[in-house]
Amino acid sequence: MEYYIVVPAHNEAVFLPGALDAILKQTLLPKKVVLVNDNSTDTTEVIIDAYSAQNKIFQKVNSTSSNLHLPGSKVVNAFYKGFSILDANYDFIVKLDADVILPPNYFEQVSQIFKANPKVGIAGGFTYEKNAQGEWKYTHPMNKDHVRGAFKSYTKQCFEMIGGLKPAIGWDTVDELLCYYHGFETFTAPELQVKHLRPIGKAYNKKAKLLQGKAMYIMRYGFVISCIASLKMALKKRNIKVFFNNIKGYLTAKKQSNSFIVTPDEGSFIRKLRWKGILKKII
């Protein structure tokens, strides 16, 4: 299968070389890798230029945006800046962060997953992060079917059916919910161990603490499901502030009448799916 990769990069000079070296070691190489220099102020662009000069699969695109690390629209807008220069001749498209190290057989196996089951629309591996002792430890979410936003592969059909990526907080959750809505499945392969060099959320601006609650609102979770999901997150992180920040973010978004990123019908499907998952764990 043929595929493209888009790598948004904002001040990723420390991690980017490792991520790009891992791409070059893939047993199934991409047709093209678009490296989006997203308003970087470090040497990210210098690194991109060096790799682009050395290998023709790399291509640079410059993007102007906020200099703050915020989840959501910033990274998606940078992704689309890169995606816009690609043609439609691909079997799957990859959104990849600049701070991950993929195993050499990563995309070869992703290709095999997609070929083996046409119903799979989104695929990926499992997340590992280095602890204080220098050991790589499993840190994937409790939902093992979830593919982390740092390394998501979409079949062309699925990507087009879900309307691509939403330029909003929650984009890497709603994409999977819409994947299910359109009859596709997600697939995670435990043997594909992805090294995430920067712990999730460490670079985010302090303003990001309320955005998870906003995401729940604009995905039409409803208040009750948002409370349950926020409590689950707080327990996992062992920090009750997470619950209150989420609820504050949800209520703020509701008060401001923030625009939803799914239709009423999609929202109804999402709530039913969430309730099904909640009840399954209770019963």
Side-chain angles (χ1 to χ4, degrees):
M1 299 183 80
E2 295 185 328
Y3 67 101
Y4 291 130
I5 301 175
V6 179
V7 184
H10 171 70
N11 290 343
E12 297 286 5
V14 174
F15 305 118
L16 185 58
L20 300 186
D21 287 341
I23 291 175
L24 290 174
K25 293 175 183 176
Q26 291 298 306
T27 53
L28 177 64
L29 287 170
K31 290 178 65 178
K32 186 181 290 293
V33 182
V34 183
L35 305 173
V36 184
N37 172 39
D38 185 18
N39 203 40
S40 298
T41 55
D42 62 0
T43 59
T44 292
E45 186 174 9
V46 175
I47 294 169
I48 291 175
D49 287 339
Y51 275 83
S52 299
Q54 293 169 13
N55 197 304
K56 63 181 181 180
I57 70 168
F58 294 118
Q59 184 171 346
K60 182 182 77 171
V61 171
N62 282 321
S63 178
T64 302
S65 67
S66 166
N67 61 359
L68 298 178
H69 261 293
L70 287 169
S73 59
K74 177 178 170 64
V75 68
V76 174
N77 288 336
F79 168 85
Y80 272 113
K81 191 81 171 184
F83 183 77
S84 66
I85 72 167
L86 296 172
D87 58 37
N89 298 319
Y90 64 90
D91 296 302
F92 64 94
I93 183 75
V94 182
K95 181 271 174 190
L96 188 70
D97 279 3
D99 60 355
V100 297
I101 304 293
L102 303 173
N105 66 331
Y106 188 86
F107 290 117
E108 181 180 6
Q109 187 149 339
V110 166
S111 175
Q112 292 172 354
I113 290 167
F114 286 142
K115 286 197 293 185
N117 185 357
K119 286 188 176 182
V120 175
I122 302 175
F126 276 32
T127 317
Y128 285 75
E129 294 175 358
K130 190 178 287 188
N131 62 16
Q133 290 72 43
E135 303 168 320
W136 289 100
K137 294 293 185 180
Y138 173 85
T139 57
H140 204 71
M142 293 174 68
N143 177 10
K144 293 183 178 181
D145 293 328
H146 174 62
V147 181
R148 272 273 161 87
F151 44 86
K152 304 198 88 156
S153 298
Y154 308 80
T155 63
K156 182 180 179 181
Q157 185 183 16
C158 177
F159 189 77
E160 292 177 347
M161 289 290 287
I162 67 175
L165 309 185
K166 307 294 184 184
I169 179 66
W171 70 268
D172 60 338
T173 296
V174 76
D175 61 345
E176 295 184 0
L177 296 172
L178 294 178
C179 170
Y180 302 139
Y181 176 81
H182 288 285
F184 293 98
E185 301 171 0
T186 61
F187 189 97
T188 49
E191 64 273 20
L192 293 180
Q193 300 181 6
V194 181
K195 295 179 178 178
H196 197 229
L197 302 178
R198 182 193 293 113
I200 300 294
K202 284 294 184 181
Y204 290 156
N205 183 276
K206 291 182 179 179
K207 295 179 181 179
K209 66 182 181 180
L210 302 183
L211 294 183
Q212 192 64 52
K214 175 184 176 180
M216 294 175 184
Y217 175 79
I218 63 178
M219 288 189 286
R220 297 183 185 268
Y221 272 25
F223 186 68
V224 176
I225 293 177
S226 297
C227 286
I228 295 172
S230 297
L231 182 59
K232 178 181 175 182
M233 289 178 61
L235 291 173
K236 182 183 178 182
K237 295 184 178 182
R238 298 180 181 180
N239 185 354
I240 193 61
K241 289 183 179 180
V242 171
F243 173 82
F244 292 110
N245 285 335
N246 282 5
I247 299 307
K248 182 178 180 181
Y250 179 96
L251 294 176
T252 299
K254 183 177 182 180
K255 183 178 180 180
Q256 294 175 347
S257 298
N258 288 172
S259 300
F260 295 111
I261 57 174
V262 295
T263 66
D265 188 55
E266 291 168 342
S268 177
F269 173 86
I270 288 170
R271 288 191 297 276
K272 289 177 182 177
L273 188 66
R274 286 299 191 220
W275 275 119
K276 184 178 179 180
I278 292 169
L279 294 175
K280 184 177 178 181
K281 292 179 180 179
I282 295 175
I283 299 174

